[in-house]
Amino acid sequence: KAFGKVKIETIDFCDRPKFLPKDIRHKKIRKQRFPYPDNYFKFVFVNGILSHLPNTKDYFLEIYRVLTDEGSAWINVYGSSYLETIRNKIAKKLNHYDLIKINEILLYHNWDAGKINFILNLLNKSDHYTFKKKQLEKLILDVGFKDFKFCQRGYRTDLNEQIYKNKNLKKIFNNGDLRYLIYK
């Protein structure tokens, strides 16, 4: 509603989330190609999914492909941090069977598929990618985007805002999530 009268569509690797309003179309990603023609969107919003996908450059190329010539995108990825080291220690102790059991437990408690995917991806060492700021900025330009803006702060209650205000958290999380507005 905040966007006004615009068409909103979602894509993901999981089935349609239960919380998604019925007037928003949802499609599943097949392989690494978005199910849309070239120059389809004026704006693309990518919140965290790139941190769970190999071949990041391929997905940036897809974002570029589906954007109109003057289009823009907001992206959010996990930044490299000490938290990554802690997560790796936990994930190293879990095997495939453990992840299946965690999935079953969360399904039993009627968790939404998107939230279950988030938890499993966080705990799955082979499916978690973090980025260094300079590395990501180079990738954005290498793909062909003409410009970008690093967004340091977010909503007052989110982790990035807390990191911005607390130097002790910055020691653990570095920049937190890396958020950018990128322009085609």
Side-chain angles (χ1 to χ4, degrees):
K1 292 179 181 177
F3 287 115
K5 291 193 177 219
V6 296
K7 180 171 61 172
I8 300 173
E9 300 186 33
T10 65
I11 59 173
D12 203 337
F13 288 97
C14 62
D15 292 327
R16 180 185 185 85
K18 292 176 186 176
F19 64 83
L20 199 61
K22 298 212 183 297
D23 60 338
I24 295 177
R25 286 179 42 191
H26 177 79
K27 294 181 181 181
K28 282 179 89 170
I29 295 174
R30 303 281 184 224
K31 300 183 180 176
Q32 292 180 341
R33 186 147 171 93
F34 295 169
Y36 299 102
D38 296 355
N39 304 307
Y40 187 77
F41 292 106
K42 291 180 183 175
F43 183 73
V44 172
F45 180 82
V46 185
N47 190 21
I49 188 73
L50 294 173
S51 293
H52 304 291
L53 303 173
N55 307 318
T56 307
K57 185 173 183 177
D58 293 341
Y59 290 102
F60 268 96
L61 288 167
E62 278 296 283
I63 294 166
Y64 188 88
R65 181 186 67 77
V66 300
L67 279 173
T68 60
D69 287 340
E70 297 298 318
S72 59
W74 184 90
I75 62 162
N76 176 31
V77 297
Y78 299 149
S80 294
S81 69
Y82 181 68
L83 179 62
E84 179 182 6
T85 305
I86 295 169
R87 189 201 60 76
N88 286 341
K89 287 178 183 177
I90 294 169
K92 188 186 287 186
K93 294 181 181 193
L94 298 174
N95 60 39
H96 181 70
Y97 178 75
D98 295 329
L99 295 174
I100 290 170
K101 284 298 179 193
I102 291 168
N103 183 52
E104 289 173 357
I105 291 166
L106 296 176
L107 283 171
Y108 176 77
H109 288 283
N110 204 26
W111 277 44
D112 181 76
K115 290 180 181 179
I116 292 172
N117 270 349
F118 174 79
I119 296 294
L120 294 177
N121 284 329
L122 186 63
L123 297 175
N124 185 351
K125 188 174 194 289
S126 65
D127 193 14
H128 189 89
Y129 306 93
T130 58
F131 300 86
K132 293 187 169 125
K133 194 169 179 268
K134 296 271 187 211
Q135 166 199 25
L136 187 60
E137 291 172 356
K138 181 181 182 321
L139 176 61
I140 290 167
L141 296 175
D142 286 350
V143 165
F145 288 98
K146 66 181 176 188
D147 200 7
F148 60 82
K149 178 184 176 192
F150 177 67
C151 305
Q152 290 186 16
R153 299 173 70 182
Y155 188 68
R156 63 181 164 79
T157 59
D158 77 5
L159 182 58
N160 279 357
E161 185 70 10
Q162 294 171 33
I163 292 167
Y164 180 81
K165 292 179 177 178
N166 185 330
K167 291 178 183 176
N168 290 327
L169 286 177
K170 189 157 180 70
K171 291 175 189 173
I172 298 169
F173 293 103
N174 196 2
N175 286 310
D177 291 352
L178 300 176
R179 298 172 176 177
Y180 286 86
L181 279 170
I182 57 178
Y183 308 96
K184 186 171 177 184

